[in-house]
Structure formats: C-alpha cells, structure tokens
Amino acid sequence: MYGDETYADDETIRRILTATGDTWAVVGLSGNTSRAAYGVAAVLQRFGKRVIPVHPKAETVHGEQGYASLSEIPFPVDVVDVFVNSDLAGPVADEAKAIGAKAVWFQLGVIDTAAYTRTRAAGLNMVMDRCPAIEIPLLP
C-alpha cells in the first residue's frame, strides 16, 4: 500500500535538498506562469538551486536555457524534479539514471511505484508525491 512514510522519508528529503547538489533539472517546466512547475522552480531558485527547464519547447525560464530532454543537457545534473503525468514519469526516472543524476523527485500527484523501486535499486535517492517547494522552507 502506498504511504508517504514509504516513498518520502524525512532523511531522504533532507539529503536531496541539502547534500545532493544544487543543479536541478525540472521536467515539465515551461514559460507558462500558471503551471505549478513555474512557481516551484522559482522557490528552488530562491533557495540557491540552479533550475534547468526540460520541456519539448526548450524555452528559457527563470533566466536558464531550456532543453527538450534530459539527455540534451550538456553538464551534470544532480536532481531531476518531475512534473509530468504519472504514466510518463517512469521513463523520465530511467533517463535521470542514464544521465548520471543522483536523485529523482516526483512531484505531488506523480506516482509510479515501479519507477520508484527501479530508481532506488539503481542507487539513486528518490522522493515521490511530495513538493520540494513545500519541504525546503521547513528545513532547519
């Protein structure tokens, strides 16, 4: 059975937000200011994260060049934050592993337990069905 305590423990949240690295690829981030990804990315930037937009439009958002896919980003990515529908999230987690990311974060409502299991088994930190913009201000 799914539960926050299984897929989003406090220690993993803290590790991703404070010790995993500051380059975050945000999959689903575009220039659409009404989308949750836009606001969450702004919060992450305020807390010192470099936010890289990943969206088919490859738009520049919050001053950062966008890319159409994770594999097109020409520098290392620490965390992949996923704002796509749950049925599309698993392949994004697999691509995060393929590019050498250290962690994957599935946003609120993005749930794929098989992808979670694969990603953790591959040695990456992962959080599912949580929002870093909610969690990061709660850190001491």
Side-chain angles (χ1 to χ4, degrees):
M1 185 69 187
Y2 170 76
D4 283 346
E5 67 283 348
T6 304
Y7 298 110
D9 66 277
D10 290 344
E11 182 51 40
T12 301
I13 289 169
R14 179 181 316 286
R15 187 168 43 253
I16 292 173
L17 291 173
T18 64
T20 301
D22 290 334
T23 302
W24 285 53
V26 181
V27 179
L29 174 58
S30 71
N32 184 342
T33 59
S34 67
R35 300 299 302 244
Y38 191 89
V40 169
V43 171
L44 290 170
Q45 278 189 325
R46 283 197 301 275
F47 280 89
K49 307 301 182 190
R50 180 179 184 196
V51 175
I52 309 305
V54 179
H55 189 279
K57 294 180 181 178
E59 298 174 286
T60 296
V61 183
H62 297 308
E64 288 285 351
Q65 168 64 49
Y67 297 90
S69 69
L70 289 172
S71 62
E72 292 180 19
I73 301 172
F75 46 83
V77 169
D78 300 309
V79 181
V80 175
D81 189 7
V82 182
F83 277 92
V84 299
N85 292 332
S86 295
D87 59 339
L88 303 174
V92 174
D94 296 338
E95 191 177 3
K97 176 184 168 280
I99 67 163
K102 300 172 195 156
V104 175
W105 192 300
F106 281 8
Q107 282 295 144
L108 290 170
V110 180
I111 299 169
D112 181 334
T113 55
Y116 178 88
T117 301
R118 282 195 314 273
T119 303
R120 290 298 295 250
L124 282 71
N125 287 306
M126 185 164 178
V127 169
M128 185 165 69
D129 195 27
R130 286 299 217 11
C131 179
I134 293 170
E135 303 294 337
I136 201 166
L138 302 176
L139 294 174

